[in-house]
C-alpha cells in the first residue's frame, strides 16, 4: 500500500503523504498534505481537526504543527522500502510508464458507524509514483478523498486522484444515496460516471447511516475488509468475498505476529 512505510516516491525520491479524517456528527474534518518524515499522517490530520480551526495544513506549515503537537519525526529512510526505491528507479527510465506501477498499489482508507449511528471516514496515502514535488491528490480534499455526514453515510476513496477530484467522488456517492440508492448502487453509479466522464478508475468503501456498507471498484482489484456482526468479510477481486469469525481471524493474526 502507498502510505507510511512503503509509500511511493516523488520525482526526487522523497516520501510526501496526504491524509484526511472526518466526523459525520458535526462535519468536523482535518487534513494534511505533502507531509514528510511522519509515520502516521492520519494522526496529524486528526490533530488538525481537534486542535485547530482549520481543515487543511500543508508542507512546512504541517511540519511545524506536528512538531508543536509532539508528533515524532521519523528519518525518511525508515519510510522507504527497497521495493518503492526500485519502482522509483524504473520510473526514471526514458521508456518507463509510471501508471503501470500503480496497479498493485492503493490508498488506505476506513469508514465506520458506531452504536449511536455516528459515521466517520479516514483516508491516507503517499500518492502517485514519481509525482511532481508538492503534488497533492484527492486524499486531502474534503469531498474527494473522503466525506462523512450522519444524515447519509461515510465514504473513503482510492484511485487516480486527479480524476477523483474532478468529479468530487466521495460526495458524489453520498449524493446518489441521498436520492435513494443503496450504497453499492450509489458507488457503482459514481464510479461509472468518473470512468465515462474523465476516463478515471478507482474504488470506494461506503457505510450508510443505517449500517449498510459496500466496497466497489472499477480497477482490476481492490483489497478490502469489513467487520459486521462479529464476522470478518474480505476480498480483493470483483465478486470475491470470504467470511470468517472475527475472533478466529484476530487469533490467527496474533499468532502471525
Amino acid at each position: 500500500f502507498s502510505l507510511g512505510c512503503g509509500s511511493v516516491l516523488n520525482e526526487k525520491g522523497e516520501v510526501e503523504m496526504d491524509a484526511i479524517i472526518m466526523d459525520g456528527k458535526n462535519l468536523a474534518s482535518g487534513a494534511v498534505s505533502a507531509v514528510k518524515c511522519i509515520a502516521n499522517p492520519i494522526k496529524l490530520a486528526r490533530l488538525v481537526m481537534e486542535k485547530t480551526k482549520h481543515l487543511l495544513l500543508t508542507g512546512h506549515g504541517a511540519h511545524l504543527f506536528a512538531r508543536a503537537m509532539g508528533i515524532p519525526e521519523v528519518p525518511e529512510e525508515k519510510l522507504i522500502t527497497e521495493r518503492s526505491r526500485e519502482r522509483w528507479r524504473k520510473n526514471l527510465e526514458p521508456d518507463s510508464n509510471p501508471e503501470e506501477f500503480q496497479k498493485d498499489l492503493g490508498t488506505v482508507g476506513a469508514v465506520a458507524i458506531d452504536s449511536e449511528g455516528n459515521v466517520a471516514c479516514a483516508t491516507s496515502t503517499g500518492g502517485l509514483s514519481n509525482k511532481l514535488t508538492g503534488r497533492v491528490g484527492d486524499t486531502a480534499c474534503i469531498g474527494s478523498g473522503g466525506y462523512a455526514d450522519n444524515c447519509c453515510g461515510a465514504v473513503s476513496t482510492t484511485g487516480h486522484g486527479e480524476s477523483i477530484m474532478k468529479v468530487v467522488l466521495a460526495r458524489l456517492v453520498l449524493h446518489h444515496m441521498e436520492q435513494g440508492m443503496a450504497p453499492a448502487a450509489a458507488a457503482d453509479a459514481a464510479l461509472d460516471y468518473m470512468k465515462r466522464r474523465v476516463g478515471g478508475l478507482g474504488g470506494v468503501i461506503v457505510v450508510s447511516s443505517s449500517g449498510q456498507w459496500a466496497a466497489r471498484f472499477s480497477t482490476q482489484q481492490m483489497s478490502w475488509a469489513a467487520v459486521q456482526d462479529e464476522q470478518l468479510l474480505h476480498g480483493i477481486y470483483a465478486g470475491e468475498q470470504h467470511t470468517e469469525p472475527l475472533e478466529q481471524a484476530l487469533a490467527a493474526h496474533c499468532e502471525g505476529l
Side-chain angles (χ1 to χ4, degrees), residues 142-192:
I142 188 170
S144 293
Y147 201 84
D149 186 343
N150 279 10
C151 294
C152 189
V155 180
S156 176
T157 69
T158 183
H160 184 246
E162 282 71 14
S163 297
I164 291 173
M165 285 189 282
K166 288 175 182 177
V167 302
V168 197
L169 184 61
R171 192 64 188 85
L172 181 58
V173 173
L174 291 182
H175 167 74
H176 289 313
M177 290 169 63
E178 289 170 341
Q179 306 308 307
M181 286 188 181
D188 287 344
L191 289 168
D192 287 346

Side-chain angles (χ1 to χ4, degrees), residues 18-57:
D18 307 331
I20 192 171
I21 190 168
M22 189 167 184
D23 184 345
K25 186 175 184 179
N26 55 7
L27 302 188
S29 184
V32 293
S33 65
V35 296
K36 299 179 180 180
C37 300
I38 294 190
N40 306 109
I42 196 67
K43 292 183 177 180
L44 184 58
R46 182 168 183 171
L47 288 173
V48 172
M49 178 177 70
E50 296 178 344
K51 302 296 184 181
T52 81
K53 296 180 180 180
H54 306 306
L55 292 185
L56 170 63
L57 294 179

Side-chain angles (χ1 to χ4, degrees), residues 3-254:
L3 87 167
C5 181
S7 279
V8 299
L9 307 181
N10 66 16
E11 60 179 350
K12 292 186 177 180
E14 303 168 331
V15 171
E16 290 184 317
M17 292 176 287
D18 307 331
I20 192 171
I21 190 168
M22 189 167 184
D23 184 345
K25 186 175 184 179
N26 55 7
L27 302 188
S29 184
V32 293
S33 65
V35 296
K36 299 179 180 180
C37 300
I38 294 190
N40 306 109
I42 196 67
K43 292 183 177 180
L44 184 58
R46 182 168 183 171
L47 288 173
V48 172
M49 178 177 70
E50 296 178 344
K51 302 296 184 181
T52 81
K53 296 180 180 180
H54 306 306
L55 292 185
L56 170 63
L57 294 179
T58 192
H60 183 59
H63 176 77
L64 293 177
F65 177 68
R67 182 176 295 176
M69 290 292 102
I71 298 291
E73 295 182 28
V74 177
E76 186 173 54
E77 286 303 314
K78 286 196 173 184
L79 298 175
I80 299 175
T81 62
E82 184 53 39
R83 185 186 183 199
S84 61
R85 181 71 75 186
E86 182 60 28
R87 182 185 297 114
W88 173 74
R89 292 193 189 99
K90 288 183 178 179
N91 284 336
L92 292 177
E93 297 173 1
D95 59 346
S96 69
N97 180 9
E99 292 186 4
E100 284 296 314
F101 291 91
Q102 300 296 142
K103 293 180 179 179
D104 60 343
L105 299 173
T107 295
V108 171
V111 292
I113 183 170
D114 69 12
S115 59
E116 298 180 353
N118 298 306
V119 296
C121 72
T123 315
S124 182
T125 189
L128 298 175
S129 295
N130 294 64
K131 62 187 180 182
L132 293 177
T133 302
R135 177 266 186 187
V136 176
D138 65 289
T139 295
C141 300
I142 188 170
S144 293
Y147 201 84
D149 186 343
N150 279 10
C151 294
C152 189
V155 180
S156 176
T157 69
T158 183
H160 184 246
E162 282 71 14
S163 297
I164 291 173
M165 285 189 282
K166 288 175 182 177
V167 302
V168 197
L169 184 61
R171 192 64 188 85
L172 181 58
V173 173
L174 291 182
H175 167 74
H176 289 313
M177 290 169 63
E178 289 170 341
Q179 306 308 307
M181 286 188 181
D188 287 344
L191 289 168
D192 287 346
Y193 175 75
M194 183 172 74
K195 184 177 181 180
R196 184 175 68 254
R197 188 70 175 86
V198 297
L201 301 178
V204 298
I205 51 175
V206 191
V207 65
S208 73
S209 54
S210 63
Q212 291 181 291
W213 63 271
R216 309 292 291 180
F217 49 97
S218 55
T219 51
Q220 291 184 347
Q221 64 187 65
M222 182 182 80
S223 300
W224 63 269
V227 173
Q228 184 177 30
D229 300 327
E230 298 303 316
Q231 296 290 310
L232 173 67
L233 305 96
H234 58 93
I236 297 178
Y237 300 101
E240 178 183 28
Q241 178 173 302
H242 304 287
T243 305
E244 57 186 298
L246 178 61
E247 186 175 348
Q248 177 181 316
L250 290 174
H253 175 71
C254 291

